Amino acid sequence: MTGRNQTIVSEFLLLGLPIKSEHQNLFYVLFLAMYVTTVLGNLLIIVLICLEPHLHTPMYLFLSNLSFSDLCFSSVTMPKLLQNMHSQDPSISYAGCLTQMYFLLFFGDLESFLLVAMAYDRYVAICFPLRYTTIMSPRLCLFLVVLPWVLTTFHAMLHTLLMARLHFCDDNLIAHFFCDMSALLKLSCSDTRVNELVIFIMGGLILVIPFLLIITSYAQIVSSTLKIPSARGIRKAFSTCGSHLTVVSLFYGTVIGLYLCPSANNSVKETVMATMYTVVTPMLNPFIYSLRNRDMKGALGRVFWRKKAPFSL
């Protein structure tokens, strides 16, 4: 910290993805297509759940919130990334950087809690089918939706306020495509031990505990369905858990590896891991959680049929 120029930083420069200049246009089109797919896929899920009365159930209540979270989560980083790739202007203001960090934490944490709620809903539905409507009462469902929004608001605000107290000196180059906490801490010329301690402690509460709860829920689902002595029970277990656990592992694996077990000097690896959970996972969720779902396909057909019916008369 000594010997560094004490000029106060008013903006940061996002170095972006490690892409060669000759491949820039190709990756711009690729990321634009991925972002459009993310937006349209998650919007479609939200609209279908709102329009179709058959989908007004606890599972689809959580799913609509998850889709909204994915849509916003991707929108926090992708438009800025696409703008930087197109205009070659990587600058972002100090206030804009902290704002981006806040909403990235907010919607990332929100997804973590919503995945727990969805896993619990599936656990009750499969392991206690006769008591499902009693256990998953409207009051409990409202609680499982509102609580994540409240907790993530305070958690994201805590990290943002802790970051705002730090000083940033002459070095304003962020080796990332968004304002990542770890990357900002490396640039600070202040003592960051408090920030790092809070990241480790809160990371365990916000990431590790929900992840273990999800794994436990799906383990109970698999155990329950395997007690059914038939191939149908085994297929039901894997169809229920397999695709869900793929996205859960992708999201939690990259986030835990990035923030709780960071690599010392491997910014390329960290950028790739961040791309997985900020870009790829929100795009895959509509396909894995919904568009492969029989109820969602039926709702999509009914909605389009109602739209076409007046014109066919």
Side-chain angles (χ1 to χ4, degrees):
M1 287 187 282
T2 59
R4 295 181 67 174
N5 188 350
Q6 295 298 307
T7 303
I8 302 300
V9 170
S10 61
E11 67 175 15
F12 295 98
L13 299 179
L14 299 171
L15 297 184
L17 298 171
I19 300 172
K20 295 181 180 179
S21 56
E22 58 266 26
H23 300 149
Q24 195 83 1
N25 291 335
L26 175 62
F27 276 92
Y28 175 80
V29 173
L30 175 63
F31 281 110
L32 178 61
M34 293 174 71
Y35 180 59
V36 171
T37 302
T38 301
V39 172
L40 294 180
N42 285 290
L43 277 178
L44 178 62
I45 291 171
I46 295 171
V47 170
L48 284 178
I49 293 174
C50 290
L51 294 179
E52 184 56 45
H54 294 86
L55 300 181
H56 294 172
T57 62
M59 184 180 81
Y60 292 106
L61 170 66
F62 301 139
L63 184 57
S64 62
N65 279 267
L66 181 68
S67 294
F68 179 77
S69 175
D70 281 333
L71 175 61
C72 296
F73 188 48
S74 183
S75 297
V76 171
T77 57
M78 286 298 288
K80 182 61 179 174
L81 171 63
L82 293 170
Q83 177 193 342
N84 293 349
M85 294 177 71
H86 184 262
S87 65
Q88 302 299 316
D89 178 19
S91 64
I92 183 171
S93 67
Y94 174 80
C97 193
L98 289 185
T99 302
Q100 187 186 59
M101 191 192 82
Y102 171 84
F103 284 107
L104 190 73
L105 287 169
F106 179 86
F107 289 111
D109 294 345
L110 183 61
E111 175 154 350
S112 178
F113 285 117
L114 289 173
L115 288 173
V116 175
M118 293 179 69
Y120 178 71
D121 174 78
R122 292 298 84 203
Y123 163 71
V124 174
I126 293 176
C127 297
F128 305 99
L130 299 180
R131 297 171 53 197
Y132 177 77
T133 54
T134 304
I135 297 175
M136 298 302 295
S137 63
R139 178 177 295 182
L140 178 61
C141 292
L142 181 63
F143 174 78
L144 292 175
V145 169
V146 173
L147 182 64
W149 285 84
V150 175
L151 292 178
T152 53
T153 298
F154 287 108
H155 180 246
M157 183 61 69
L158 171 64
H159 284 294
T160 304
L161 293 176
L162 286 174
M163 188 67 69
R165 74 183 181 87
L166 300 180
H167 296 286
F168 297 90
C169 304
D170 58 327
D171 191 358
N172 68 337
L173 298 177
I174 300 178
H176 225 304
F177 63 94
F178 61 86
C179 292
D180 178 65
M181 268 197 309
S182 300
L184 285 172
L185 290 178
K186 293 176 183 177
L187 297 182
S188 175
C189 50
S190 302
D191 187 352
T192 62
R193 284 178 294 182
V194 173
N195 296 68
E196 292 167 357
L197 180 63
V198 172
I199 289 174
F200 184 78
I201 295 174
M202 296 304 294
L205 296 174
I206 300 296
L207 293 174
V208 177
I209 292 178
F211 178 67
L212 293 177
L213 289 174
I214 291 172
I215 296 299
T216 302
S217 296
Y218 284 122
Q220 291 293 327
I221 291 173
V222 172
S223 175
S224 177
T225 52
L226 288 180
K227 291 178 182 178
I228 304 174
S230 67
R232 181 176 176 272
I234 297 176
R235 284 197 302 270
K236 182 180 180 182
F238 283 103
S239 64
T240 301
C241 304
S243 58
H244 292 199
L245 285 175
T246 300
V247 170
V248 168
S249 301
L250 185 63
F251 177 78
Y252 281 101
T254 52
V255 173
I256 291 173
L258 188 60
Y259 292 109
L260 298 187
C261 307
S263 54
N265 292 299
N266 197 339
S267 59
V268 175
K269 177 184 175 182
E270 291 182 355
T271 303
V272 172
M273 292 175 67
T275 305
M276 293 299 291
Y277 81 87
T278 59
V279 179
V280 177
T281 303
M283 182 188 68
L284 291 180
N285 281 353
F287 298 97
I288 293 178
Y289 282 106
S290 302
L291 300 183
R292 292 180 57 195
N293 184 293
R294 189 179 305 170
D295 293 335
M296 292 297 295
K297 288 181 179 179
L300 183 63
R302 286 190 294 270
V303 168
F304 276 98
W305 177 253
R306 285 200 297 265
K307 295 294 183 182
K308 289 175 62 177
F311 296 99
S312 61
L313 294 176

